[in-house]
Amino acid sequence: SQKIEQNSEALNIQEGKTATLTCNYTNYSPAYLQWYRQDPGRGPVFLLLIRENEKEKRKERLKVTFDTTLKQSLFHITASQPADSATYLCAPPPYSGAGSYQLTFGKGTKLSVIP
Amino acid sequence: NAGVTQTPKFRVLKTGQSMTLLCAQDMNHEYMYWYRQDPGMGLRLIHYSVGEGTTAKGEVPDGYNVSRLKKQNFLLGLESAAPSQTSVYFCASTQRANVLTFGAGSRLTVL
């Protein structure tokens, strides 16, 4: 079955370093992947969407890559700050088998940036 | 501000009671989703709707019912609440079934 996995449940890094989060997919080829940020007690907020024909996309200190050979998307935060501490979620397109439009998420990676 | 509004924000129920969570969006989005989020489980899809008058089951639909009588509203009902339904519920909407706008969440406790 189609599967999205975020390898790390938690990641701790030092302030100023680059954080790299991983999203792997198996048994299908998504046309795009999305990344969201969720702060405690709040709903997720959309950050970036990268399509399969885009190798890289950037937004300020954020960078996302999409490697269809490795079946993987990497999410980078450069010059990380304590304010970047949050849970980051990866989401594929809705599964459209048999007219279904389920939109599901990976379990997320909780990033802690240590001052 | 435009967005997704969930009511109520907090609710405590006794086992067996019923209640309805309301999700309202003012962005004219076609698709709406209800998720629950539990520690260590991530977001799990309960039900969703691809347009007014339509609903469909997600990953964990048992014990819940939904209705989408108006395009802007998506209601999630619990007919007979159980302690296993203690969770934080999030509603989300999107126009093209990709980028979601989420509500602030509704925290439900079932005793």
Side-chain angles (χ1 to χ4, degrees):
Chain A
S1 61
Q2 299 174 349
K3 207 171 178 182
I4 278 279
E5 283 184 319
Q6 292 186 251
N7 286 353
S8 302
E9 285 192 9
L11 178 66
N12 297 329
I13 63 163
Q14 208 69 32
E15 182 176 4
K17 301 290 186 187
T18 295
T20 299
L21 285 63
T22 305
C23 177
N24 294 301
Y25 56 91
T26 53
N27 298 329
Y28 74 128
S29 299
Y32 58 82
L33 287 168
Q34 307 176 57
W35 285 88
Y36 290 76
R37 168 182 173 143
Q38 186 175 23
D39 292 288
R42 295 183 171 240
V45 174
F46 170 76
L47 295 175
L48 285 166
L49 182 152
I50 184 164
R51 302 188 184 280
E52 60 179 342
N53 60 350
E54 297 174 315
K55 291 218 166 107
E56 179 182 298
K57 187 169 265 190
R58 292 175 184 263
K59 179 182 175 182
E60 298 172 352
R61 294 182 296 109
L62 308 181
K63 183 178 85 171
V64 174
T65 61
F66 197 161
D67 189 325
T68 54
T69 302
L70 293 178
K71 292 184 176 290
Q72 184 181 81
S73 175
L74 298 180
F75 178 85
H76 306 273
I77 305 176
T78 57
S80 59
Q81 304 165 1
D84 295 326
S85 298
T87 296
Y88 292 86
L89 305 168
C90 171
Y95 168 63
S96 58
S100 166
Y101 288 89
Q102 299 197 28
L103 213 168
T104 59
F105 287 79
K107 289 188 177 178
T109 297
K110 184 176 180 180
L111 174 67
S112 298
V113 180
I114 303 161
Chain B
N1 289 340
V4 177
T5 303
Q6 292 182 231
T7 52
K9 287 186 171 44
F10 301 93
R11 184 75 186 268
V12 178
L13 286 178
K14 292 182 180 175
T15 296
Q17 287 185 317
S18 63
M19 75 157 297
T20 300
L21 297 176
L22 170 62
C23 176
Q25 53 95 2
D26 59 3
M27 298 170 284
N28 203 34
H29 284 170
E30 289 292 336
Y31 299 78
M32 296 186 74
Y33 296 81
W34 274 109
Y35 296 89
R36 61 177 289 174
Q37 189 171 42
D38 305 291
M41 299 295 291
L43 284 165
R44 290 185 291 170
L45 180 63
I46 306 171
H47 286 281
Y48 66 100
S49 167
V50 300
E52 182 179 317
T54 75
T55 63
K57 293 181 181 180
E59 302 168 276
V60 290
D62 294 342
Y64 304 95
N65 56 75
V66 286
S67 64
R68 184 105 180 263
L69 298 179
K70 293 184 180 180
K71 185 177 184 178
Q72 63 267 34
N73 295 338
F74 194 29
L75 278 63
L76 178 71
L78 286 70
E79 288 187 349
S80 179
S84 61
Q85 294 178 303
T86 293
S87 188
V88 181
Y89 292 85
F90 287 100
C91 176
S93 71
T94 176
Q95 180 57 23
R96 290 180 178 271
N98 49 33
V99 176
L100 291 176
T101 301
F102 280 84
S106 297
R107 185 176 294 274
L108 175 65
T109 301
V110 183
L111 302 175

